[in-house]
Amino acid sequence: MSGQKVLPSRMTFQATKNRLKGANTGHKLLKKKSDALTVRIRQILKQIVESKNQMGNSLREANFSLAAVYYAAGDDIKYQVLQNVGPQAQARVTMKVDNVAGVKIPVFEKIEAEAKTSDLTGLAKGGQKLDQSRVTFTKALDSLVVLASFQTAFVALEEAQKITNRRVNALEYVVIPRLEDTVRYIATELDELEREEFVRLKKVQSYKKKRIEEENAAALEKEEELKKSGKVPVEAKSLIATDADPDLLFN
C-alpha cells in the first residue's frame, strides 16, 4: 500500500503514471551522466599521474640547473636577477570553462608576456647556466599549470559525481518504488470500485426485474378478479390501428 494518502481516481492514476515515467526517464539520464563522469574522472586521474611525474622531473631538472647557476656565478647572482626583474609578471594564468556532461570545469592556460629583463644579467659569468635555468623553470611552471587544471577539474567532477549518484540512488530506491506502490494501490482501489459498481448494477437490475414481475402478477390477479366479477373492462379502440380511409379519386 502507498506510504502517502492519495485519492484513488482515474485522474490521480494517470498523473502518478506520468510521474513514474518521468522518474524512470530521469533515472536513465542521470545514470548515463554518472557513467560519463566516471569515464572522464578516470581519464583525468591518468593525466594527473602523468602530469605529476612530468612535474617531478621538471622540478628536479630546474633545481639542478639552479645549483649549476650558483656554482657557476656564485651566490650573488640572485641579487642581480632580482634587480633586473620587471614590475609585472612575465607569465599570467587565464581560465576558461569546459563542459563535461553538463558540469562546468575550469581549465587554466598560461600566457607568456614579453620579457623586459636586461641581457646583461650574468654577463660576467654564469650567463649560459642562467638561461638554461630560466628555460627549465618555465617548463616546470607549464607542468604546474597543467597539473593545477587537472586537479581542479578532478575535484569539480568528483563533487558532481557524488551529487549525481545521490540523485540516482534517491530515484532508484526511494522515489520510483514509492510511485510504483502508489500506482499499484490506486489500480487495486479502482478495480475494487469497479467490482462494487458491477455488483450494485446487478442488484439494481435484479430489483427492477423483481418489481416488474410483481407488478405483472398484480395486474394479472386484478384482471382475474374482474373477470370473475363480470366487470371486464372494454378495450379502447386504438387510434393507430384504425382502418385506412379510402383514397379519393378526382376526375
Side-chain angles (χ1 to χ4, degrees), residues 72-127:
D75 294 338
D76 296 336
I77 190 64
K78 63 181 178 181
Y79 300 108
Q80 299 178 17
V81 173
L82 290 176
Q83 289 177 359
N84 293 320
V85 171
Q88 295 181 354
Q90 297 181 8
R92 296 178 180 273
V93 178
T94 60
M95 185 186 73
K96 67 178 183 179
V97 179
D98 192 11
N99 194 340
V100 177
V103 181
K104 295 181 179 179
I105 57 176
V107 179
F108 302 125
E109 292 182 352
K110 194 187 76 167
I111 298 177
E112 292 285 349
E114 295 181 358
K116 296 182 180 179
T117 56
S118 176
D119 295 332
L120 300 178
T121 305
L123 183 61
K125 55 181 178 179

Side-chain angles (χ1 to χ4, degrees), residues 181-234:
D181 291 341
T182 304
V183 169
R184 284 194 294 267
Y185 166 71
I186 295 176
T188 304
E189 291 295 324
L190 290 178
D191 291 340
E192 185 68 24
L193 291 175
E194 288 181 358
R195 286 193 293 269
E196 291 178 357
E197 184 68 14
F198 179 75
V199 172
R200 188 183 67 82
L201 291 176
K202 291 291 288 183
K203 288 185 177 181
V204 169
Q205 290 179 355
S206 175
Y207 175 76
K208 287 182 178 180
K209 185 177 180 181
K210 183 178 179 181
R211 184 177 178 183
I212 292 173
E213 290 177 353
E214 292 176 353
E215 290 178 354
N216 292 334
L220 289 176
E221 185 179 354
K222 186 176 181 181
E223 185 177 356
E224 290 293 333
E225 291 178 355
L226 291 175
K227 285 182 179 181
K228 290 180 180 180
S229 61
K231 299 179 180 180
V232 180
V234 179

Side-chain angles (χ1 to χ4, degrees), residues 42-58 143 146-147 150:
R42 290 177 180 175
Q43 294 176 355
I44 290 179
L45 279 175
K46 184 178 179 181
Q47 293 172 346
I48 286 175
V49 173
E50 294 176 355
S51 297
K52 283 186 175 181
N53 293 331
Q54 184 178 359
M55 189 186 69
N57 296 330
S58 299
S143 301
V146 172
L147 179 60
F150 287 148

Side-chain angles (χ1 to χ4, degrees), residues 61-62 65 68-69 127-137:
E61 293 177 1
S65 65
V69 169
Q128 183 180 3
K129 294 295 182 181
L130 185 61
D131 292 338
Q132 292 177 358
S133 179
R134 183 183 295 111
V135 172
T136 54
F137 271 99

Side-chain angles (χ1 to χ4, degrees), residues 139-156:
K139 291 182 180 178
L141 181 60
D142 294 338
S143 301
L144 184 62
V145 171
V146 172
L147 179 60
S149 179
F150 287 148
Q151 288 279 77
T152 308
F154 174 78
V155 172

